[in-house]
Structures are given as C-alpha cells and as structure tokens.
Amino acid sequence: MTEAFNTLKKWVEESDNIVFFGGAGVSTESGIPDFRSVDGLYHQQYDYPPETILSHTFYRQMTEEFYRFYRAKMLALDARPNAAHFKLAKWEQQGKLQAVVTQNIDGLHQAAGSRKVYELHGSVHRNYCEKCGAFYDAVFIQNSTGVPVCETCGGFIKPDVVLYEEGLDTKTVQGAIKAIRDADVMIIGGTSLTVYPAAGLIDYYSGHKLVLINKSVTSMDCRADLLLQESIGAVFEQM
C-alpha cells in the first residue's frame, strides 16, 4: 500500500464527519458506461450527440426519440453496487460518513444501504406524470413503449433527472452544500470534476483533508491534500 493510501486510511479512522462526492467513475465499476471515457457513450454513433438527446429542448421536441435513447443507454437496472458503494454505506452505519453527494442517477448508493444521499442530477428510479404528478418507477419506464403515459390521466411521464438546460434542485444543492461545508474529511472519487455547477460545490469545503481519487488527471489535482490516481474500486476494496 502507498503512503497516500495509509494516510487516507488514518484520516478515515479518525473522523466521524466524512462527506463523499462521487461521479461516473463510481458507477462504471458496476458496469454502467459513462459519457466521456474512451469507451463511453459520447464515443458511440447516434443520429444525435448524447448531450443533445439528453437536453430539455430535445425532450420536448422529440420525446419519443429521447425515450429510445433513454431506455437503451440510461436505464441500467441490472447493475449492482460495488465495493465503493458498500464501503460508503458501512461508514454511514458506523457514524463516520455524514453524506454522499453524487452526480450519478442510478440509485446504487441507496441499493448498497446509504441513506443520506444528495442526488445532484436526480434519479432514474423516480418518474412523474407531468399532468397529475403520479409516481412511476424505472421498471415501468423500461417496460413501456414510445412515450410513456400516465395510467390515470394520460399525461406524459418525465424522468426525475436533470437534463441539459435544466437547473439543479435547490433543496438538494442546499443540503449538499451544508454537508460539504461542515465536513472534516472530504473524499472526491471517480469524477473528472468538469461538470458544472455540480463540480463547483467542492469550493464550499474549507477543511484541510481534501482527498481526490481518480484514475486520470483532473484540473483540481493541485487543490487536493491527498491524491490517489487509482480506480475508486481498487482503493475502497483495500479500505
């Protein structure tokens, strides 16, 4: 084990106020493709770029096309939590971890047992009728065809995920900011920190135990008090 890993382990052992901020790299190790890796969705061929399909405008104007892509590429309902998810849930149960702040929409943190999760970009597991507000789960969306409609009123059902051109949920952001601001140790894992405004939330951390775990270089590496350029799963499997 490296000196950096040993330091991380010591900080975790000594802290009861950890916040974890995670991105796509946490989910890729559960088999969910991310958007920007070499083998990710952005490098596959579609009639429209994924960032266009996943925009509010596209959803409104070409809803059926949106759902074809969404069912095929955004619903990974067979994915299971990995070592990172389970370790974070364990830390929460032990009273060490105060919150998970995630950019992912797959719900794997909750599936592993985490309870205090701020989902900045929403969740595929929540879907609502735009007309009457009725709730539908991800299985309903997966099994539907065309544009899913409400069984009660016939209105269109929209995933509770933040699309391009849409703002983040204010209550979620406020909760995440408070958790980050109050944290003793902040661990950032599996994210390139290029997606804003989510990545900007780390500016609220004012402590001196900022840990950055990512396989590739990020623009925030120079700000880290502890840097581990490894996969998030490899690190958490050893914790």
Side-chain angles (χ1 to χ4, degrees):
M1 292 187 290
T2 65
E3 182 179 345
F5 177 83
N6 289 331
T7 300
L8 171 60
K9 194 170 182 180
K10 180 175 183 291
W11 286 358
V12 169
E13 289 172 349
E14 295 175 347
S15 179
D16 60 0
N17 191 0
I18 303 167
V19 167
F20 178 80
F21 181 99
V26 181
S27 293
T28 54
E29 298 190 26
S30 288
I32 298 176
D34 74 271
F35 280 23
R36 293 172 178 80
S37 68
V38 173
D39 297 317
L41 297 180
Y42 275 33
H43 294 263
Q44 298 179 26
Q45 298 299 312
Y46 300 99
D47 292 338
Y48 303 90
E51 63 267 46
T52 298
I53 299 173
L54 295 175
S55 69
H56 180 84
T57 298
F58 194 93
Y59 170 78
R60 291 296 178 203
Q61 296 179 349
M62 302 186 70
T63 313
E64 188 167 350
E65 285 295 316
F66 167 89
Y67 267 109
R68 285 201 185 99
F69 177 88
Y70 185 82
R71 289 189 190 93
K73 298 300 180 183
M74 306 305 291
L75 293 180
L77 303 188
D78 292 332
R80 295 293 177 263
N82 59 54
H85 296 110
F86 285 120
K87 182 62 69 174
L88 291 166
K90 182 178 180 180
W91 287 351
E92 181 181 10
Q93 292 161 9
Q94 293 173 337
K96 304 183 73 59
L97 183 96
Q98 298 306 311
V100 169
V101 180
T102 181
Q103 299 174 85
N104 299 327
I105 60 175
D106 48 53
L108 291 181
H109 284 292
Q110 292 91 330
S114 290
R115 293 294 172 260
K116 195 65 168 291
V117 182
Y118 294 104
E119 296 174 306
L120 298 176
H121 296 152
S123 172
V124 298
H125 296 282
R126 298 188 300 268
N127 306 273
Y128 298 96
C129 172
E130 295 192 86
K131 187 175 180 181
C132 73
F135 170 85
Y136 291 90
D137 63 16
V139 175
F140 179 89
I141 301 299
Q142 186 178 56
N143 293 337
S144 64
T145 57
V147 179
V149 296
C150 180
E151 296 178 325
T152 301
C153 73
F156 287 172
I157 299 171
K158 184 178 185 294
D160 187 18
V161 298
V162 179
L163 302 176
Y164 289 97
E165 304 168 346
E166 294 181 342
L168 305 186
D169 177 72
T170 300
K171 186 177 179 181
T172 302
V173 170
Q174 289 175 343
I177 287 173
K178 185 180 187 309
I180 291 169
R181 184 178 280 150
D182 294 344
D184 171 37
V185 177
M186 183 171 178
I187 302 174
I188 301 172
T191 173
S192 58
L193 294 171
T194 58
V195 177
Y196 283 82
L201 296 184
I202 70 170
D203 292 337
Y204 290 95
Y205 178 69
S206 57
H208 302 287
K209 294 179 179 177
L210 179 62
V211 183
L212 208 164
I213 307 169
N214 198 55
K215 288 192 291 186
S216 58
V217 173
T218 81
S219 61
M220 303 289 187
D221 286 1
C222 60
R223 294 177 54 178
D225 298 298
L226 197 62
L227 181 64
L228 290 87
Q229 288 188 325
E230 301 180 46
S231 74
I232 189 75
V235 172
F236 275 85
E237 281 176 357
Q238 299 177 69
M239 290 295 294

